[in-house]
Amino acid sequence: MPDDAVPPQKPRLTTRLSHAGRAGTHVHGFVNPPVHRGSTVLYPDMAGRRAAFAHRLEQKLVYGVMGGPTHWPLENVIAEIEGGTHCQIVSSGLAAITTPLLGYTRAGDHVLVPDSVYGPARSFCDGMLKRFGVETTYYDPGIDAAGIAALFQPNTTVLYTESPGSHTFEMQDIPALAEVAHARGAKVLMDNTWGIHFFQPFTKGVDCSIQALTKYVVGHSDVLLGSVTVNTPDDWERVRGVALSLGQYASPDDCWLALRGVRTMGVRLERQMESGLRVAAWLRERPEVAEVLHPGLPSARGHEIWKRDFSGACSLFGVVFQPQFSQAAVHAMAEALSLFGIGASWGGYESLALPTTGFITRTAGTGRFEGQVLRLHIGLEAVEDLTADLEQALAVLRAHPSGLQDPGS
Ligand SMILES: *Cc1c(COP(=O)(O)O)cnc(C)c1O
């Protein structure tokens, strides 16, 4: 290449979100692919039937449960935004966690899981994995390389990570932890639902990246889906193999909706990131608030790691109230909000508020705050309307008659 030649520039993410996975999907010239529903796949002859089974690792029609032309463009666009080579779409975000956990372990193995892990993943480790002879140790998500190294056992095969935690927003030093894991022959799994495309897992030492597409990819709170993305043939064989063994499947209609969602995700996220940061900064100035748990906010816990490893932030964060506000008062505040629904899940166009103190399980002694924690998801509403709603709800918090403390809270 001559010195003055401009290297071909990779299109920016928003551009790729509009175009990735679309090659060859146009039917009759329409922009979007049709929904292909199907179980039986007809073969022209027996040789065709025999040949099909050689393709279980590829995007080839074999039988409905192995995926088809509505799954493939979604798999391709998710692999593209995460920077992986292969993606398996599964029925929910939780299935995207349990499938690789089964794929990367066998009886007698040991896995390391952060204390901040998504609750149902903890239940899976303590229930089914344990029943199948796999032992779990929960670690402080803020642990450093030396700390995690000390927790490895000869039979540790998986270092599971999630950064930040989806309730208390602890950031993890993924590159440092991954280096330790790889030196000990373990695989690094990460729940990258918060990071979406802002965190590029495969450039940071992650071997298998999990997403709850239910959140921002779907974006409208109406579909449950998950993805498992990898970037080596060996990892793909493991993930794909266990997904097929389990009969993991997602409806083509749901994949089609997720595919529609992903095309607008770039602008939704840009707006939601900005609104989230503005509401978080507004809350940090409030006298009722002790701390805002938003890694994208300067001076917040974990901000340095976020700045180093992430190119943006989603709109899910936590608010810790001053300790004099009781649980009953925070619940009354949540109920007083009119634009924020009380609900789990996140990533849709609407704002949500969820008091979390007392509803999360920790066993490694982390995630405790003096005050009550309220988790907020910021949707696509105008920030001024959201802060006005929070303002009137904070008045309800201050006026709550519970006094200084709930008995037994
Ligand atoms: C919601 C969520 C999941 C699970 O996704 P579902 O599609 O609801 O099963 C997994 N991880 C995180 C961090 C989540 O917030």
Side-chain angles (χ1 to χ4, degrees):
M1 191 190 287
D3 281 353
D4 57 349
V6 182
Q9 195 181 346
K10 195 172 179 182
R12 285 163 182 78
L13 184 90
T14 12
T15 307
R16 286 186 280 136
L17 286 178
S18 292
H19 292 274
R22 290 179 56 203
T25 66
H26 305 284
V27 176
H28 301 304
F30 282 129
V31 168
N32 291 305
V35 178
H36 289 282
R37 305 182 55 81
S39 52
T40 299
V41 174
L42 300 173
Y43 304 100
D45 50 33
M46 282 310 294
R49 165 135 176 98
R50 262 194 305 276
F53 282 93
H55 300 307
R56 52 196 282 285
L57 296 177
E58 296 160 38
Q59 291 179 333
K60 291 259 170 64
L61 268 180
V62 180
Y63 177 59
V65 79
M66 292 167 155
T70 315
H71 300 87
W72 302 334
L74 181 61
E75 290 169 1
N76 294 344
V77 69
I78 299 302
E80 166 86 22
I81 67 177
E82 290 214 82
T85 53
H86 293 86
C87 169
Q88 170 76 42
I89 301 295
V90 293
S91 57
S92 67
L94 180 56
I97 295 169
T98 59
T99 301
L101 273 174
L102 285 172
Y104 285 100
T105 54
R106 61 173 68 184
D109 284 352
H110 171 244
V111 300
L112 289 165
V113 174
D115 205 22
S116 50
V117 71
Y118 175 67
R122 178 187 285 269
S123 307
F124 179 77
C125 292
D126 293 345
M128 193 172 282
L129 274 194
K130 186 170 179 198
R131 212 147 46 73
F132 289 166
V134 178
E135 186 203 347
T136 302
T137 299
Y138 294 96
Y139 65 88
D140 178 343
I143 204 163
D144 62 8
I148 202 78
L151 295 177
F152 269 82
Q153 304 176 6
N155 59 342
T156 307
T157 53
V158 167
L159 172 68
Y160 190 92
T161 62
E162 183 177 332
S163 180
S166 68
H167 282 294
T168 38
F169 303 94
E170 300 90 339
M171 294 297 291
Q172 296 201 254
D173 190 346
I174 303 289
L177 302 183
E179 201 180 320
V180 174
H182 290 155
R184 283 160 182 74
K187 290 286 189 176
V188 181
L189 273 55
M190 178 176 186
D191 184 331
N192 193 28
T193 302
W194 194 95
I196 326 159
H197 58 242
F198 299 125
F199 184 85
Q200 292 289 294
F202 303 108
T203 65
K204 303 281 191 298
V206 173
D207 299 296
C208 173
S209 180
I210 291 154
Q211 294 252 5
L213 305 182
T214 308
K215 309 293 162 62
Y216 292 94
V217 171
V218 164
H220 296 72
S221 310
D222 47 10
V223 168
L224 287 141
L225 274 184
S227 64
V228 188
T229 305
V230 294
N231 79 335
T232 73
D234 176 56
D235 288 291
W236 177 237
E237 204 161 338
R238 281 210 210 208
V239 166
R240 177 71 172 165
V242 77
L244 293 179
S245 298
L246 292 171
Q248 273 294 354
Y249 182 67
S251 142
D253 301 75
D254 289 347
C255 291
W256 191 88
L257 285 165
L259 205 48
R260 166 184 275 223
V262 85
R263 302 299 178 202
T264 59
M265 184 174 74
V267 285
R268 283 188 282 111
L269 268 175
E270 233 168 75
R271 169 68 180 271
Q272 285 177 280
M273 166 175 158
E274 188 197 321
S275 299
L277 283 165
R278 283 176 63 194
V279 174
W282 182 87
L283 281 162
R284 198 181 47 186
E285 300 306 316
R286 296 289 311 196
E288 300 89 346
V289 172
E291 186 179 354
V292 175
L293 307 172
H294 190 318
L297 207 58
S299 87
R301 295 178 198 220
H303 180 68
E304 288 309 312
I305 289 181
W306 176 82
K307 218 165 65 180
R308 187 192 67 188
D309 292 347
F310 287 64
S311 61
C314 73
S315 62
L316 186 80
F317 62 92
V319 181
V320 186
F321 291 99
Q322 299 287 0
Q324 73 262 29
F325 296 109
S326 65
Q327 187 167 72
V330 172
H331 290 187
M333 176 192 166
E335 288 167 358
L337 289 162
S338 64
L339 295 177
F340 292 77
I342 298 174
S345 207
W346 37 285
Y349 55 81
E350 81 294 12
S351 290
L352 298 170
L354 191 69
T356 58
T357 307
F359 295 96
I360 55 174
T361 306
R362 294 298 166 92
T363 52
T366 71
R368 304 199 197 294
F369 295 90
E370 262 190 87
Q372 299 286 314
V373 180
L374 178 69
R375 187 178 79 171
L376 294 179
H377 168 258
I378 303 303
L380 291 166
E381 304 92 335
V383 168
E384 295 75 10
D385 294 327
L386 295 176
T387 49
D389 194 24
L390 286 165
E391 174 108 51
Q392 62 81 25
L394 284 168
V396 171
L397 175 83
R398 286 193 305 276
H400 195 267
S402 68
L404 288 181
Q405 269 303 325
D406 270 338
S409 72

